[in-house]
């Protein structure tokens, strides 16, 4: 992202030249994989978060915002615990869910090899992180025409959520703002079009790499 590029410059690196090129996304492949049948996907309406249970992903902020929004949707948490610290954080997350009395509204999926059908059928994807590099899953959700809400964390979300989508960026750690945006996004979603995502298309990215090589 451009934010990561600027971070490198702020760190003191002095390159002869520098350019940011987004991660490439194969739109056709993602959309094709989203059509795969999965019997575990709930029939109820749900919102979703896909992230490792790391502390900086701030599931605690997401859970508090979800509880505060008082929506009827289930909350799907799709993620893994790759490190011991993630396991400890997951215990805290489950304790918070129990404390808020929403244990019957939250679904933990564990690892899912193909998350795209889950993303496609969700009414909303919510990102609550303190920091990201680009937040690939925001782009993947938009490719599948799923509305998104995000914290305006460094780096990436503000570069992904542009135009009317930028109205759904929330200050980092702000439970109230994130809760309001969750409700707003469900009640009045933005119609996702190619203009929101075309800059992430692998074909566009390939041309940028070829241009750089020349």
């Amino acid at each position: 992202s451009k934010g990561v590029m600027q971070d490198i410059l702020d760190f003191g690196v002095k390159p002869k030249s520098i350019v940011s090129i987004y991660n490439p996304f194969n739109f056709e492949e993602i959309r094709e994989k989203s059509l795969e049948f999965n019997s575990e996907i709930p029939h109820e309406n749900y919102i979703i978060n896909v992230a490792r249970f790391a502390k900086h992903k701030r599931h605690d902020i997401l859970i508090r915002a979800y509880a505060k929004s008082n929506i009827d949707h289930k909350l799907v948490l799709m993620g893994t615990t790759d490190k011991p610290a993630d396991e400890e954080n997951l215990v805290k997350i489950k304790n918070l869910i129990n404390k808020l009395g929403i244990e019957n509204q939250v679904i933990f999926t564990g690892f899912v090899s193909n998350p795209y059908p889950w993303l496609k059928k969700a009414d909303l994807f919510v990102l609550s992180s303190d920091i990201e590099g680009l937040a690939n899953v925001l782009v993947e959700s938009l490719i599948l025409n799923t509305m998104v809400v995000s914290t305006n964390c460094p780096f990436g979300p503000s570069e992904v959520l542009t135009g009317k989508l930028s109205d759904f960026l929330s200050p980092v750690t702000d439970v109230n703002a994130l809760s309001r945006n969750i409700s707003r996004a469900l009640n009045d979603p933005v119609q996702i079009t190619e203009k929101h995502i075309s800059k992430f298309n692998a074909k566009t990215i390939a041309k940028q790499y070829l241009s750089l090589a020349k």
Side-chain angles (χ1 to χ4, degrees):
S1 65
K2 292 180 174 64
V4 171
M5 180 182 73
Q6 187 57 51
D7 193 47
I8 291 172
L9 295 173
D10 292 342
F11 187 71
V13 176
K14 302 183 187 303
K16 184 175 180 180
S17 64
I18 187 169
V19 62
S20 76
I21 299 179
Y22 291 123
N23 299 335
F25 294 82
N26 187 325
F27 287 19
E28 292 78 10
E29 181 181 18
I30 289 171
R31 287 167 178 163
E32 183 178 348
K33 285 185 175 181
S34 75
L35 301 176
E36 180 181 297
F37 176 74
N38 188 320
S39 60
E40 295 182 359
I41 296 177
H43 295 294
E44 308 103 312
N45 293 331
Y46 65 89
I47 67 174
I48 190 170
N49 171 274
V50 181
R52 182 166 61 90
F53 290 106
K55 187 176 180 180
H56 71 274
K57 296 295 185 178
R58 297 310 301 265
H59 289 86
D60 58 322
I61 298 295
L62 168 61
I63 290 163
R64 290 184 187 279
Y66 168 74
K68 193 175 184 66
S69 69
N70 200 32
I71 58 175
D72 293 330
H73 291 63
K74 298 282 188 179
L75 171 61
V76 173
L77 298 179
M78 182 181 293
T80 58
T81 52
D82 299 339
K83 301 178 181 178
D86 299 345
E87 292 280 3
E88 295 174 9
N89 196 47
L90 180 56
V91 171
K92 293 178 181 178
I93 290 166
K94 290 183 175 180
N95 287 340
L96 176 60
I97 289 170
N98 291 333
K99 180 180 178 181
L100 294 172
I102 57 172
E103 58 271 17
N104 294 327
Q105 297 165 248
V106 181
I107 300 170
F108 288 90
T109 68
F111 173 76
V112 177
S113 60
N114 179 10
Y116 298 127
W118 290 79
L119 286 173
K120 181 178 177 62
K121 293 185 178 181
D123 287 327
L124 179 67
F125 176 86
V126 185
L127 186 142
S128 51
S129 301
D130 281 343
I131 189 168
E132 290 285 345
L134 176 64
N136 291 343
V137 72
L138 284 179
V139 180
E140 291 167 331
S141 297
L142 294 175
I143 291 170
L144 297 173
N145 293 316
T146 298
M147 182 59 186
V148 295
V149 164
S150 176
T151 50
N152 191 13
C153 66
F155 309 95
S158 64
E159 296 179 45
V160 176
L161 304 191
T162 57
K164 290 184 178 180
L165 288 173
S166 64
D167 293 339
F168 295 91
L169 289 166
S170 309
V172 175
T173 74
D174 191 328
V175 172
N176 292 331
L178 187 61
S179 177
R180 286 194 298 270
N181 276 336
I182 288 172
S183 298
R184 286 177 58 230
L186 291 172
N187 292 326
D188 190 21
V190 175
Q191 184 64 42
I192 311 301
T193 66
E194 289 297 310
K195 72 177 182 180
H196 293 113
I197 53 176
S198 59
K199 62 185 177 183
F200 300 106
N201 194 310
K203 295 176 182 178
T204 300
I205 303 301
K207 292 178 182 177
Q208 291 176 321
Y209 272 109
L210 288 171
S211 177
L212 182 67
K214 290 178 182 179

